Amino acid sequence: MLRYLASRAGQALVVLWITYTIVFVLIQTLPSDPVTIFLASDAGADQELIDRVSALYGYDRPWFEQYALQLGNLLRGEFGFSLSTGQSVLERIGSVVGSTLALASTGLLLSVLIAIAISAVAFLVDSPRLRAIIVAAPSLFSSIPVFWLGIVVLQVFSFQLRILSLFPDGSLLSLLIPALVLAIPVSAPIAQVLLTGVEQASELAFVKTARAKGARPMRVFWHHVFRSSLGATTAVIGTTLGVLIAGSVITETVFARPGLGSVLLRAVIAQDVPLVQGLVFLTTLVVVVAALVVDLITPLLDPRVLRSVGTRGVSRLGA
Amino acid sequence: MRVPRGVGELPLPGPATALSALLVLVLVAWLAVPGLFTGYDPLVGDSAEVFLAPSVAHPFGTDHLGRDVLARVIHGTTQTALTAGLAVLVGLALGTAIGLASSTLGPWADAISMRVIDALIALPAFMVALFVVAAYGAGPVSLGVGVGIGSIVLFARVTRAEVLRVRALDYVEASKLAGAGYFRQLFGHILPGASGALIALAVVDFGAAVLAVSALGYLGFGTPPPTPEWGLIIAEGRNYLANAWWMTSLPGTFVLLVVVALGVLGRYLGKATRA
Amino acid sequence: MPDTTTSAAPALQLDGVSLDYRLGRQRVRALDDVSFSIGQGEIVALVGESGSGKTTIAGAVTGLLPRTATIASGRILVDGTDVTRLTESRWSRIRGRKVGLIPQDPGASLTPVLTIGDQVAEIFAIRGERLGRAERRAKAIELLEVAEVSRAADRLTQYPHELSGGLKQRILIAIAFGLNPALLVADEPTSALDVTVQKQILRVFDRLAREHGSSVLFVTHDLALATDHASRALVLQRGRLVDDAQVSEIVDDARVGYTRELIAHARATQSALPPADAADETDAGAGTAPGTGTAPPALEVRGLTRSFAGRRGADATLAVDDVSFAVPAGRTVALVGESGSGKSTTARMILRLVDPTSGEVRVGGRDVTAVQGRDRLTLWRTVQLVYQNPDSALDPRWTVGRIVAEPLAAMGLYPAGERRARVQELLDAVALPEGTIDKRPGELSGGQRQRVAIARSLAPNSSVVVLDEALSALDVITQERVLQLIERLQRQFGVSYLFISHDLSTVRRLAHHVVVLRAGRVVEQGSAREIFTAPRTDYVRELLDAIPGHRLLAGTGSPTRTAPNAQTAPTAPTAPNAQTAPTAQTVPTEGASPR
């Protein structure tokens, strides 16, 4: 187990290092440096100002020095400084990140609940027609443009029903409704994994054994079908974080919530590359840490996983 | 209960697949000759016809400048589809290159490619797209490339998995025993065997790219305003939610249908070529 | 114990059951007007080939059919209760109490993420028994011990993937009998297991069924197994019940044609004397005396060894350990062993797909142990392989013509213009119908696909063909026809076969010489006659003993009557030098020294 832990943590560090390198290479392919790009739109900026700021951010040095310098900063927990405000990335988002976290975690929780509900109903329902509709839900959910869904929800709840204020007012409803919008696309991949388990259930030999014992459908679902999909489900929840972050940014914009989204979008519009770069690292770090946590949890949920240490990837049901 | 079925022939498509194919054909036609499908100008409106609700003359209604919304959607196909197409192309080209390198060039190439794939999985696709837009400025090309980088990892993984799957099949070894050299095996058996899944993925990914491109277009990172683009059309309607629901609802439903259709079609192709 | 005395209703009764599967918009009839009943305490076998509908019947009487199945007409009664149209939740009250199941594939039939203890104890929860922790544990151990599960207490905390297939099947048997249903359905319970394990499992099963007085529906494709374990047999063919008779009647004098055909086939493979002629006995050991002046054997291996490095510093394991044998020209040598015995690794070393750790491979007297890369082409012109599964051995995108021509094209054997004619000649030789050349594998039956694979293996005029379990994926009747084809091709072209199989009954039909492998080592080899009539080792005796069908053979029907090669058989036992043939045990071990 210790060896497993160490190997996974080591892999996570390597992944972070490579992502850093990929982003660094992307910046190097720019026709000029980020400072020039940022100040290009500013009529008052002269070459002297550009040079001074470049020197401050280290963009005047040769690429390998920049590479080492920025990597060193990252290792000290410095994600970079904004060109527009001069604040560090963490300072910049510190005041608003709580709102984003609340939205994202509520959204994730709701998406898991939606996914479980879909798979349970699909397993228990007898009518083939109803089941076909339920089974199709995830692929519909993953095709919905979140920004549009947000607008439609806003239209219905704010303009038609008038139960939701157009701007967040701190009420539970103003958190739950955006979170639900966010949860719809995020639930799709989770539900898909659970549904795969359910769809296979009629063919899977161990489900047959459970049914042959005389177990009630509810028991068969929770103790056998759901329980054996749990490892794969946890793994897929880890990979939905990217979708969750994207969805949060868009949902925040649509519902005019302050948060990571507003900071990020302003930075993109201003072409504040160092700030955007810092936010990319920060979110990557979150994804990698989440994946690490998932990797540590799955062996507890699925005893088959530890056997395949080193051969990346969790073996799916009975496969 | 074995049902023998030739792999050359596709299984009979269901009604959902047929409708999806029809919708995609319509899109292709709109892309090629948008002028044939609408008489209205997508850019210049009639100030006497602002905020008209959907009718036979204007199925999607008109907007705040009196432009026909359907005409804007039809003409917007060009921007959205070409940008999404660029994204798929970037993902397909780089992704299959990485996947092929990892699965055919030996253990070292595989180890390195796998680490790169792991890193690409960790980078949130949406953040990368925004990063590219920030660095290169808004516009369809940086948008397409930015979104495309996000799908590299999908193509790389599927290519690698498919090549490994097909290569392990007895018929590839049989071909080796029949005297076929490496390239004969690769081009005669392995790549044709793997291509079905890639084509299916490209279709599904095109749908995902349409979704991402229109989301970024909605945020204002696509083409600048007068030119129609699906995300932008919806964004323009956001200010008129109270009095013109059709400006957002109908184009949005349309985008949803397109993405669903591409998904259905891709899954059908995947199933059909997988056998 | 179910009280068999008071219950008057039969344990199972089917009245005119017809059943369809939905396939897209089509309906396919899987069962057609099937009627039979099983009395309390009766053990009845249900026999049929794959696709005959026997698994469908097993599913229908346990309510475990796929959702695409619908019972079109008829009635099913389990222990007096009509179960024809029950909802899943009603079914769950019948299952376990009235009808139980011993599944087909023990490997996948236990929930992988739950411990054995959880899965055994689940039956107490289902029955609504409220037991304390210690009590539950004690009862679970007791159930496992009754089914002869070794170290029962330790098993409770283990997960299924930590156990062997045989153990898992014992656990499943323990669970099924633990519920004590009136009727037990055993659906091919041992088809995934090795013969020796199969025998032990069925002994436990027979004992428990007797002790519990259970009625049993024993589903199997193996008539020999059916006659050994059941008192009555139902024979199913393409969804119709064609025979329903006491096993003793079937064995002595089957009235139904199809049953007779099955019996004849079973007897032929069980009792056929090995192919033999005068030359056989002297040739069989040719490989053991290399360089004695006679023509070199078509294929010979000496001291072949292959070790696989253990994971993370574990000891290396010997998959194949010092194996030597020879295949004389125009003869068939069988490589026999249970799964994991090293048969396939040996074959792959011969074809130089796997590098031997030590030892040598000779083809037509030439040492090919060291050939590498493209040099192996000359080897593959002479030695070819036919795979177990014809479905995966043929590229589904290619036409049959292109598949069979691949060796010709890749090896540049025939001028491009003559290849099609050569392919047609080969397809004729394997008796494929006209027009097959332009079809794709998907349009052919399993047997036809295997014929295509055989044609491909002969295409480069190869003289040795390795048949790697080449018959095991086929139905019995198809198996028989392909078997005959293989025999004919040998007579016609003089090819030598290395026939790799776990199935002793087909080996008995085909092989002149038999090599028995166990855990990578040769335990015994000799002429087929010696191995089958006078095995020298306990292991081989055990293997032979485990072949089902003792009752079939004990029947009054003459064993050789239906054997296709019966003409040559009577002369064989009198071969004078049968005893003197040297065997592998005396193979000189030169060049076999381990590293």
Side-chain angles (χ1 to χ4, degrees), chain A residues 24 37 43 52 201 289:
Chain A
F24 184 84
I37 292 174
R52 231 180 39 233
V289 169

Side-chain angles (χ1 to χ4, degrees), chain B residues 1-8 12-14 169-171 173-181 184 188-189 192-193 273 275, chain C residues 21 23 25 28 30 50 348 351 353 374 376-377 380 384-385 387 392-398 406-407 409-411 442 456:
Chain B
M1 294 307 304
R2 242 175 301 154
V3 190
R5 168 158 66 75
V7 177
L12 216 61
L169 291 176
D170 288 342
Y171 67 73
E173 192 182 271
S175 156
K176 182 178 178 181
L177 289 175
R184 215 183 242 272
H189 297 284
T273 52
Chain C
Y21 282 106
L23 273 175
R25 270 149 285 181
V28 178
S50 70
R348 300 176 66 75
L351 285 154
L353 293 167
R374 296 289 285 165
R376 289 177 294 183
L377 268 183
W380 295 334
Q384 274 292 326
L385 176 66
Y387 292 87
S392 64
L394 310 176
D395 191 330
R397 282 161 205 82
W398 285 30
E406 191 176 21
M411 295 178 177
R456 173 176 61 190

